């Protein structure tokens, strides 16, 4: 047992070095330092998910709502959004682990950087440059969607969605909408 002076010295040294001390009851013969660090880093923390509710991309923050039912409804709606983000992330991560693969091209300026644990925000950001163009000349209306790049096709493939699903979008638009105009 450490004396209070020794405990204070250790705490001071930790603060100066920026280190944190973690302990386990697992014997070193069963869990190496590397395995312990890896287990800690891949630990599921629900607080991180609540952080997503409060920050980007869901942004639950102080809002002026009149009734408790409105607050409850907003939180429930954002919780559904959070579940969608987590499901997206889980599906892609599971497929990458099953195949023992990593995904590259998600990080701006680091096209070769790879990860087997992409966050849903990064996956969705990969699709931000897609556009739908509608050109009307007289009665002739033409639809065009931006072609998918390799990273986008890879994400769809990891989700189990065929790229043809997206490509068919432009062909099906005339069937989906009878009138499209700007407000």
């Amino acid at each position: 047992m450490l004396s209070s002076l020794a405990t204070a010295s250790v705490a001071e040294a930790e603060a100066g070095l920026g280190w944190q001390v973690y302990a386990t009851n697992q014997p070193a013969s069963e869990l190496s330092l590397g395995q312990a660090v890896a287990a800690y880093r891949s630990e599921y923390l629900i607080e991180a998910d609540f952080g997503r509710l409060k920050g980007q991309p869901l942004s639950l923050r102080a809002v002026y709502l009149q009734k408790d039912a409105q607050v409850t409804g907003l939180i429930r709606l954002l919780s559904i959004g959070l579940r969608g983000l987590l499901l997206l992330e889980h599906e892609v991560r599971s497929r990458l682990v099953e195949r023992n693969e990593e995904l590259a091209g998600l990080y701006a300026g680091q096209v070769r950087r790879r990860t087997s644990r992409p966050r849903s925000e990064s996956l969705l950001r990969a699709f931000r440059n897609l556009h739908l163009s509608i050109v009307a000349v007289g009665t002739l209306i033409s639809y065009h969607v931006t072609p998918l790049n390799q990273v986008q096709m890879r994400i769809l493939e990891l989700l189990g969605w065929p790229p043809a699903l997206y490509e068919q979008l432009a062909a099906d638009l005339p069937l989906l909408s009878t009138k499209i105009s700007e407000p």
Side-chain angles (χ1 to χ4, degrees):
M1 177 132 182
L2 294 174
S3 69
S4 61
L5 179 60
T7 303
S9 297
V10 169
E12 184 180 329
E14 285 176 7
L17 295 173
W19 290 16
Q20 293 181 345
V21 176
Y22 299 96
T24 180
N25 58 2
Q26 197 74 16
S29 61
E30 294 180 23
L31 187 69
S32 70
L33 175 61
Q35 290 171 321
V37 170
Y40 172 75
R41 288 183 178 166
S42 64
E43 162 185 46
Y44 176 74
L45 297 173
I46 196 164
E47 290 85 8
D49 296 336
F50 286 122
R52 285 170 143 171
L53 273 176
K54 294 187 280 183
Q56 292 293 331
L58 299 173
S59 300
L60 176 64
R61 52 190 147 187
V63 292
Y64 181 73
L65 296 173
Q66 298 280 328
K67 301 173 185 166
D68 287 345
Q70 291 174 326
V71 174
T72 302
L74 176 62
I75 291 172
R76 287 181 180 164
L77 182 63
L78 292 177
S79 294
I80 292 170
L82 176 61
R83 289 177 185 178
L85 289 174
L86 296 175
L87 181 61
L88 172 72
E89 202 169 89
H90 174 75
E91 286 296 314
V92 171
R93 287 179 177 187
S94 295
R95 294 249 167 68
L96 288 171
V97 168
E98 284 172 10
R99 300 171 183 181
N100 196 24
E101 296 175 354
E102 293 181 325
L103 185 59
L106 294 179
Y107 304 101
Q110 300 175 340
V111 292
R112 288 193 167 91
R113 182 177 170 189
R114 306 175 74 76
T115 182
S116 62
R117 298 183 48 80
R119 291 181 53 96
S120 52
E121 292 86 347
S122 299
L123 295 168
L124 293 172
R125 201 175 304 119
F127 290 90
R128 71 175 168 213
N129 62 349
L130 296 180
H131 300 282
L132 166 66
S133 301
I134 303 170
V135 178
V137 179
T139 58
L140 180 63
I141 300 175
S142 178
Y143 301 89
H144 174 73
V145 290
T146 309
L148 295 173
N149 64 33
Q150 292 297 325
V151 175
Q152 294 161 342
M153 287 194 295
R154 178 87 167 103
I155 293 168
L156 291 179
E157 185 261 327
L158 288 167
L159 289 168
W161 299 344
L165 181 71
Y166 171 78
E167 295 161 1
Q168 190 64 34
L169 179 65
D172 290 344
L173 271 174
L175 304 174
L176 298 174
S177 61
T178 56
K179 181 177 178 183
I180 297 179
S181 63
E182 293 199 35

